[in-house]
Amino acid sequence: MSARTSWDEYFMEIARQVASRATCDRKHVGAVLVRDRIILSTGYNGSIRGMPHCDEVGHLMENGHCVATVHAEANAVLQAARTGVRIEGSALYTTASPCWPCFKLVANAGILRIVYGEFYRDPRIFDVAARLDIELVSLEQATGPQAETAGPGVTPG
């Protein structure tokens, strides 16, 4: 008899599926907002609504990053806003830890828990999350790069 998957693993697997819709081929990221084990909203990184996609027309690069896309976390928050879904007190499942601008957006939206699949470039989130009592949970392997860069307040998955 096989072990039943945890809720964190379940929602992260859904976030990975959402990431498969991403339209910026530099990095596919998916995000799922959940409260009480119910999916509230999803998002993936892609172009501004109505604009051509990076994987069709190329990237708009600044400082080594494509800035044509709206990030997955922001799109999940925006989708909830467009449909009138309250996300305060929810959890965010994202395939990569939020960049600094997305972290600020998520924190101000009242999201209390962030579960991420891989560490993505900005360690500032660890200190600020601890100060704001936002729980960060890594589902990355203990031997991965996040294990070396994680700050206080990170809960291993």
Side-chain angles (χ1 to χ4, degrees):
M1 187 159 130
S2 64
R4 193 169 174 197
T5 189
S6 72
W7 285 109
D8 282 348
E9 292 164 342
Y10 172 76
F11 289 119
M12 184 58 69
E13 191 56 40
I14 293 170
R16 287 185 191 103
Q17 190 63 38
V18 171
S20 72
R21 294 284 307 151
T23 62
C24 182
D25 52 10
R26 289 181 50 85
K27 186 157 188 75
H28 288 204
V29 178
V32 179
L33 286 169
V34 175
R35 186 176 44 245
D36 299 327
R37 299 181 182 155
I38 297 169
I39 295 173
L40 305 174
S41 180
T42 65
Y44 52 85
N45 55 326
S47 295
I48 297 169
R49 190 180 299 268
M51 296 295 291
H53 301 297
C54 298
D55 56 7
E56 297 169 347
V57 298
H59 303 281
L60 177 60
M61 300 298 292
E62 288 181 9
N63 298 322
H65 301 285
C66 179
V67 296
T69 61
V70 178
H71 288 187
E73 304 90 334
N75 271 327
V77 169
L78 290 167
Q79 178 183 334
R82 286 175 58 96
T83 58
V85 175
R86 184 176 163 268
I87 60 172
E88 185 175 5
S90 66
L92 171 71
Y93 291 83
T94 182
T95 57
S97 62
C99 67
W100 182 240
C102 285
F103 177 82
K104 293 186 293 183
L105 177 80
V106 164
N108 270 7
I111 293 165
L112 300 177
R113 187 169 190 258
I114 300 170
V115 181
Y116 62 92
E118 70 172 280
F119 174 72
Y120 179 67
R121 90 171 182 216
D122 205 322
R124 289 179 285 189
I125 67 171
F126 299 113
D127 177 55
V128 176
R131 291 170 55 193
L132 296 174
D133 290 326
I134 296 172
E135 183 184 7
L136 288 177
V137 179
S138 171
L139 293 187
E140 211 168 20
Q141 297 295 329
T143 57
Q146 186 276 335
E148 300 165 13
T149 59
V154 177
T155 305

